[in-house]
Amino acid sequence: MVQMLSIGSGALVLAAVVVLAVIAFRTTDMQRRASTRTLFLVYFVGIAPALAMSALWWKDALRVMIELHGIAFRSENGAVLRKDIRERSPGSSRLLIGDVATRDRRVPQTLLGTLVFRDGLSIELPPPERRAGVIATTAHGLLGAQEIENGDRICIGSECWTYNEDDDSFTLGKKKFAIPPRQTKVPGLDWAIPLPFAKPITAGLRTYSVDFLARQGDAARSQDSLRSFIAYSQPGPRLRVLVLDANVTLRKAGPASTRPTSFEVAEGSRIHLYTLPSAGESFEANGITERRSAIYRRGVRSFALDFDTPEIHSLTERELKALHLESQDKDKRVALAMGDAQMIDRSLYFTGASESVALQSSSLIELPLAFPSSATSDIRILSPRGPTDATLGGVSWIGTSDLAAVRMSVIRPPLLLLLAALVLQLLKVGCASASRFTLAQALLAGSLELLAGVRLMFGHRTWAMPPHRLEAAELGLLAWMMLPWIFIVASAPVLSLRSVRRDGFRAFPHAWLPALGGLLFSAIFCARLVEGPKKLVWLACHLLAIVVALLRSAEVREWFSQRWKKWSGSELTPYLVCGVAFLVVRVALLFFGFKESIMFPGGRVSLSAIHIPAAAILQGAFLWRVWQRTIRNGRLQRNDLLAALLLMTLVWILPAGLTSDVGLALLNVPVFLLLLLAIDRRNVIVRVLIVLTLLFVAGAPLARVFLPAVASEETLLSLASDSNYARFLHFAAPEQLQQMATKRGESLAITSAILQRYISTGFFGVGYGHTDVSPHLGDTALRDFAPAVFIAAEWGLVGTLAMMLLYALIGYIAWRVTPLGTTRTGMPTRSSPAAMVAAVAGVTIAVASVYMILANHELVLLTGKNAYLFGLDSAGDVLETLGLLLVIAYGAAVARDSADVVPGGLR
């Protein structure tokens, strides 16, 4: 019975969407005030699917997780600790810290380095020819890398290549090879635009082969490939060479500097371990690959390494039961083994520990008889160190002088959290009622609750089951808690700033107090959930809700209106100037190397998180002005159409071309054209543009019939070298592209085959939490392909339709707020640019998300964009969704404030 319910999990979401859709389509006037009964209905329908899934599949989705969090080494009697970092086997790329050296002296010893702990930690490097990889630290960058200055020579045997700083080139006689400057290519035109102010690409993404230089020389050399490479690396970044071969040296033009072989590591510093770049035929090579990173913690006579990414076992209750060892005692026992020290077959086995750690930390875990269903958190670990009392969710150290940090926890669906949230739903209903929410605002709030609830469930699923991404769970909780409260506060009644200055808090409308209380609760919840500088970003997002609400005050709107009138020389010119500003800002960022993302506290954030919400505001204001002119003139004038096409080019087409991000235009140009068509449905040019756009977007599969007949294999092969063309050719002639055996074509063919496996799961799918994530998809399974991997596979066609309808419903409700939407129903029009702005934001969410779901089913071209809130481990996705929701909240609230709202409800 539980399995059958699990298979039908997507049907719950579909039922909730249908309820909200029925309310939306039965309502003739979205600006009528929502009754308390309607608010109760939409808010509790929004939370119902997540609550029902957590209750029905509480046991089915339960997972027992055992994690290896780090290792530590303790000094006996103050002796110096020396621990090697090496590969498990030569060329395996599996790194072990603290492993014992082989006893066979005939085998050459290769390692990355040696950790030496006296009063502090230092890293010693072996001779270059014995290094198996690269170590980097926060302060020193790549250890052993030597900075290359103008006139320095890289000598390979008797031949020396001289470095010229002016053009970043290496010369040997008449032969010359230069490091390519940073540039971007315009797709389709093969234009290369240099980026003079951008920082160089560092070693993690690009290296330059010394072996290639050796092959271009005249001297005879052995057939063995050289491993040394050139790269830009921190600090700096500066151009450096990492010498990893006995016959490669760097000869300085100036005074030679000593090359250190020992490096101090500061407390709290990160240590990164990399394997070498793969060999290639060209000067440009792949970057080094990070295999493990850890944070150094210093003790009095010990040091610990906390792994950035723990090694995780995730087990169902049945799988854990299969590991139980027979015992006369009442407690359950599970064996825990590490490294090469696995004593018995029936044991949990961590591979990321060295032999020295494994021998001392192999142990038995004693669990309560009722585990994992019991509420008790006490467990006992039996190891060579002796019995250790531990608690679920806490990190325990096991071992004697070589230790491992292990944590055991039980991850359950968030049933208790959702039950507690029922109280919050009552508070939200009260806030919405006090704020005099219209039916449009109520339905938007209910749709948001439903979308955030689905995101919460998939965040839990992604953490408790492979791929075990804690970021996905954290962001799911953030979005579920934060977004609804931010929407409520941003939609609060208009506040008079003059009254606040005169009367203080007494001037606040009553609806503000509970709304601010809920926002404060959300801020505290998010601050406790998130650690590090990212916490400040999420707290600032809460303040944005208050800022958006204050922007609706009469004083602020009057201030902006006066300055806008003074600045604008004609009706459409200011919008075009703003469009030019969009392009100028993106070009400026591009020249500094910020092509698709920019650094924020805690990491990188996609530029689209700022670009798309800001563009929605500009487009909405422009379309509202065009609509007013169309009403006055009876039709869309030629100048208005030209201005619209110019704005579309400035905001979407040119930035997409400059940043090689076709998806930026592919998803947002149709939104702009569809809204333009709604303003004047008789305009032939707009109709033609929409038809052409749809043919390009959805007509790619038709090219399968024509493209092979009009292009030769050589032409197809040359086009496939570009990622955008390769994606199109995959649609047009997948078999032919695969037969041409290009690396890109083969990768696309594999991805296509994997997607077919995920989307071919029938009507109800395989059930929540019953899919495996393909290693080939990697991080894209949590972003680009999340609708296929987690929705189509687990919820089947029902779940896919539910999510498409949910996104479409958000766009439809936002559209009904506009004057165009009310005109269709025969209700009186209300002229407000804010309402049009909200429509653009809502339709953007709908079109982009539905498009990406269709792309996951290979019905349209893939763009690399996320369905909104389904960039499961992407903070930028949550920020972009937040920006669009604030725009929608502002527009819907302005439309409410300008309308005559009367009590009502469902008709």
Side-chain angles (χ1 to χ4, degrees):
M1 178 65 179
V2 172
Q3 181 63 24
M4 296 219 19
L5 288 171
S6 179
I7 289 177
S9 51
L12 289 173
V13 181
L14 181 60
V17 176
V18 168
V19 171
L20 296 177
V22 167
I23 298 175
F25 283 101
R26 287 183 59 191
T27 302
T28 56
D29 184 12
M30 285 286 187
Q31 294 301 86
R32 295 190 64 182
R33 182 180 175 185
S35 65
T36 304
R37 179 171 64 92
T38 303
L39 292 171
F40 266 106
L41 180 61
V42 296
Y43 268 104
F44 282 91
V45 162
I47 199 175
L51 185 59
M53 277 188 280
S54 294
L56 293 174
W57 304 301
W58 187 86
K59 192 174 183 66
D60 192 45
L62 180 146
R63 291 295 185 275
V64 178
M65 296 179 64
I66 303 182
E67 311 157 34
L68 177 62
H69 271 262
I71 55 178
F73 303 95
R74 179 183 290 116
S75 171
E76 299 294 340
N77 301 319
V80 176
L81 289 174
R82 298 184 64 86
K83 298 296 177 181
D84 290 341
I85 307 172
R86 65 179 68 250
E87 293 179 310
R88 180 178 288 274
S89 57
S92 68
S93 299
R94 298 178 65 182
L95 306 180
L96 300 177
I97 303 173
D99 208 7
V100 295
T102 178
R103 296 176 178 84
D104 190 348
R105 297 299 181 186
R106 295 171 297 177
V107 178
Q109 296 296 295
T110 60
L111 62 156
L112 279 75
T114 301
L115 301 173
V116 181
F117 182 77
R118 295 183 179 87
D119 296 330
L121 183 67
S122 61
I123 300 176
E124 293 182 356
L125 301 180
E129 61 275 11
R130 287 186 53 198
R131 293 189 67 181
V134 184
I135 304 178
T137 65
T138 306
H140 301 287
L142 301 181
L143 303 189
Q146 299 171 266
E147 186 174 338
I148 305 175
E149 298 175 331
N150 189 43
D152 288 355
R153 295 179 296 164
I154 296 178
C155 296
I156 309 163
S158 59
E159 292 184 336
C160 295
W161 293 78
T162 304
Y163 173 64
N164 186 347
E165 191 178 40
D166 294 335
D167 57 358
D168 280 344
S169 66
F170 295 88
T171 57
L172 174 63
K174 295 183 178 180
K175 298 176 181 178
K176 181 176 180 179
F177 296 95
I179 294 176
R182 287 286 301 273
Q183 61 184 22
T184 184
K185 292 184 178 180
V186 179
L189 299 177
D190 288 333
W191 291 353
I193 302 175
L195 307 178
F197 304 108
K199 293 182 180 180
I201 300 175
T202 52
L205 296 175
R206 187 72 48 80
T207 58
Y208 305 95
S209 172
V210 172
D211 184 68
F212 174 84
L213 296 178
R215 283 188 274 110
Q216 308 308 310
D218 300 322
R221 56 183 291 268
S222 67
Q223 297 301 314
D224 295 334
S225 297
L226 299 178
R227 304 178 307 147
S228 303
F229 63 85
I230 302 164
Y232 284 96
S233 66
Q234 302 292 351
R238 300 292 184 87
L239 187 65
R240 292 176 169 87
V241 60
L242 196 68
V243 175
L244 300 172
D245 303 280
N247 61 334
V248 176
T249 57
L250 176 66
R251 298 183 183 177
K252 306 294 290 183
S257 58
T258 58
R259 184 175 63 185
T261 58
S262 180
F263 301 85
E264 299 294 326
V265 182
E267 160 70 20
S269 293
R270 240 180 206 91
I271 299 174
H272 303 270
L273 307 178
Y274 299 90
T275 51
L276 301 179
S278 55
E281 297 297 323
S282 62
F283 184 41
E284 293 185 65
N286 296 327
I288 53 180
T289 304
E290 185 171 353
R291 298 298 180 187
R292 172 71 78 185
S293 61
I295 299 176
Y296 160 59
R297 308 292 186 193
R298 177 179 174 176
V300 177
R301 56 188 182 91
S302 64
F303 71 93
L305 299 175
D306 292 340
F307 294 158
D308 278 0
T309 305
E311 186 178 339
I312 299 173
H313 285 294
S314 178
L315 304 157
T316 64
E317 191 172 0
R318 180 178 298 178
E319 290 169 337
L320 182 67
K321 187 176 181 180
L323 296 176
H324 289 170
L325 304 177
E326 296 182 3
S327 172
Q328 299 294 328
D329 300 327
K330 292 183 179 181
D331 290 337
K332 302 174 182 178
R333 293 189 176 186
V334 177
L336 179 64
M338 299 189 188
D340 295 324
Q342 188 170 9
M343 304 300 181
I344 58 175
D345 292 335
R346 292 170 60 187
S347 62
L348 292 164
Y349 179 55
F350 289 114
T351 61
S354 64
E355 183 179 341
S356 62
V357 174
L359 289 172
Q360 298 189 34
S361 57
S362 293
S363 55
L364 291 175
I365 301 178
E366 291 185 347
L367 304 170
L369 188 61
F371 182 86
S373 300
S374 64
T376 180
S377 61
D378 295 328
I379 59 176
R380 172 166 285 197
I381 302 176
L382 304 176
S383 69
R385 184 182 183 181
T388 301
D389 292 325
T391 58
L392 289 177
V395 175
S396 302
W397 289 95
I398 53 178
T400 52
S401 59
D402 293 2
L403 303 94
V406 175
R407 184 173 75 172
M408 190 171 193
S409 55
V410 179
I411 306 297
R412 302 177 175 89
L415 177 59
L416 295 178
L417 180 64
L418 288 165
L419 288 174
L422 292 176
V423 178
L424 293 179
Q425 296 301 97
L426 293 174
L427 181 59
K428 290 174 185 176
V429 169
C431 291
S433 179
S435 298
R436 301 172 64 86
F437 265 28
T438 63
L439 282 168
Q441 290 176 300
L443 289 169
L444 286 169
S447 301
L448 177 58
E449 290 281 347
L450 182 54
L451 181 60
V454 171
R455 176 65 183 83
L456 175 68
M457 295 308 297
F458 280 114
H460 165 266
R461 179 253 177 272
T462 311
W463 169 228
M465 300 156 232
H468 302 302
R469 290 298 178 89
L470 180 59
E471 299 92 343
E474 285 184 349
L475 290 172
L477 283 168
L478 277 169
W480 174 76
M481 177 61 70
M482 178 177 68
L483 295 182
W485 281 114
I486 285 180
F487 182 84
I488 288 175
V489 173
S491 306
V494 173
L495 187 65
S496 172
L497 296 182
R498 293 190 183 96
S499 299
V500 171
R501 286 194 295 267
R502 184 179 65 248
D503 301 327
F505 283 104
R506 290 177 298 173
F508 278 74
H510 295 305
W512 272 77
L513 300 180
L516 289 177
L519 189 71
L520 179 61
F521 176 82
S522 173
I524 294 172
F525 181 91
C526 295
R528 295 292 300 273
L529 180 68
V530 181
E531 297 180 353
K534 291 184 290 186
K535 180 185 304 186
L536 300 177
V537 175
W538 300 119
L539 293 178
C541 290
H542 286 77
L543 296 177
L544 277 177
I546 301 175
V547 172
V548 169
L550 294 178
L551 287 176
R552 298 198 332 269
S553 67
E555 297 89 341
V556 175
R557 294 177 66 186
E558 182 181 352
W559 185 87
F560 276 110
S561 177
Q562 289 176 352
R563 279 147 185 80
W564 181 260
K565 289 178 181 178
K566 291 180 181 178
W567 181 67
S568 59
S570 65
E571 287 191 311
L572 297 180
T573 301
Y575 303 100
L576 298 180
V577 172
C578 290
V580 172
F582 265 80
L583 180 61
V584 170
V585 169
R586 288 305 297 262
V587 170
L589 291 172
L590 181 66
F591 275 93
F592 283 94
F594 301 118
K595 184 177 182 180
E596 296 180 354
S597 59
I598 192 169
M599 287 298 298
F600 269 86
R604 286 187 171 271
V605 175
S606 172
L607 285 172
S608 65
I610 304 171
H611 185 127
I612 291 179
I617 297 172
L618 175 61
Q619 289 179 114
F622 174 83
L623 289 171
W624 174 76
R625 180 57 60 87
V626 169
W627 173 69
Q628 284 190 321
R629 291 166 62 92
T630 303
I631 291 177
R632 186 167 60 245
N633 298 320
R635 62 186 179 88
L636 190 65
Q637 298 291 313
R638 183 181 64 178
N639 290 341
D640 297 342
L641 180 59
L642 290 175
L645 297 179
L646 180 58
L647 183 68
M648 184 177 68
T649 302
L650 292 170
V651 174
W652 299 121
I653 297 176
L654 290 180
L658 292 173
T659 60
S660 302
D661 184 5
V662 176
L664 191 67
L666 198 60
L667 297 178
N668 293 284
V669 166
V671 172
F672 187 76
L673 290 176
L674 287 172
L675 291 172
L676 197 62
L677 181 65
I679 291 174
D680 185 1
R681 300 179 184 178
R682 297 171 297 174
N683 192 283
V684 177
I685 297 177
V686 178
R687 289 182 178 183
V688 171
L689 289 174
I690 289 178
V691 170
L692 293 175
T693 303
L694 292 177
L695 285 175
F696 179 80
V697 171
L702 298 176
R704 291 189 174 110
V705 179
F706 305 105
L707 190 59
V710 298
S712 64
E713 285 196 0
E714 291 75 13
T715 303
L716 293 177
L717 185 61
S718 63
L719 292 175
S721 61
D722 182 86
S723 59
N724 295 300
Y725 282 124
R727 189 175 293 122
F728 183 80
L729 291 177
H730 169 66
F731 264 80
E735 295 83 7
Q736 192 168 357
L737 185 62
Q738 188 176 2
Q739 289 171 2
M740 287 188 292
T742 64
K743 182 177 180 181
R744 197 179 301 279
E746 183 180 352
S747 175
L748 286 170
I750 293 172
T751 302
S752 177
I754 292 172
L755 279 180
Q756 289 299 323
R757 180 170 66 87
Y758 283 117
I759 64 178
S760 303
T761 54
F763 201 68
F764 290 108
V766 298
Y768 174 68
H770 287 79
T771 56
D772 295 322
V773 178
S774 169
H776 181 80
L777 296 180
D779 290 341
T780 56
L782 300 171
R783 298 174 191 173
D784 305 18
F785 299 115
V789 175
F790 300 109
I791 296 177
E794 299 189 358
W795 289 355
L797 181 60
V798 169
T800 299
L801 290 175
M803 295 307 300
M804 290 177 65
L805 288 174
L806 177 57
Y807 285 120
L809 183 62
I810 293 173
Y812 173 76
I813 297 168
W815 167 249
R816 289 284 304 275
V817 173
T818 66
L820 292 168
T822 54
T823 301
R824 185 190 66 80
T825 61
M827 300 303 296
T829 61
R830 304 177 180 96
S831 180
S832 171
M836 190 68 80
V837 167
V840 174
V843 176
T844 297
I845 290 176
V847 170
S849 301
V850 171
Y851 181 96
M852 281 310 300
I853 294 175
L854 294 176
N856 272 247
H857 286 70
E858 297 197 294
L859 298 176
V860 291
L861 294 171
L862 192 73
T863 68
K865 180 70 176 174
N866 304 315
Y868 279 99
L869 282 191
F870 272 83
L872 298 182
D873 63 343
S874 171
D877 177 46
V878 177
L879 289 173
E880 185 175 332
T881 306
L882 170 66
L884 290 172
L885 286 174
L886 286 172
V887 173
I888 294 172
Y890 178 87
V894 169
R896 174 201 61 193
D897 298 339
S898 61
D900 294 326
V901 181
V902 296
L906 298 179
R907 292 185 176 182

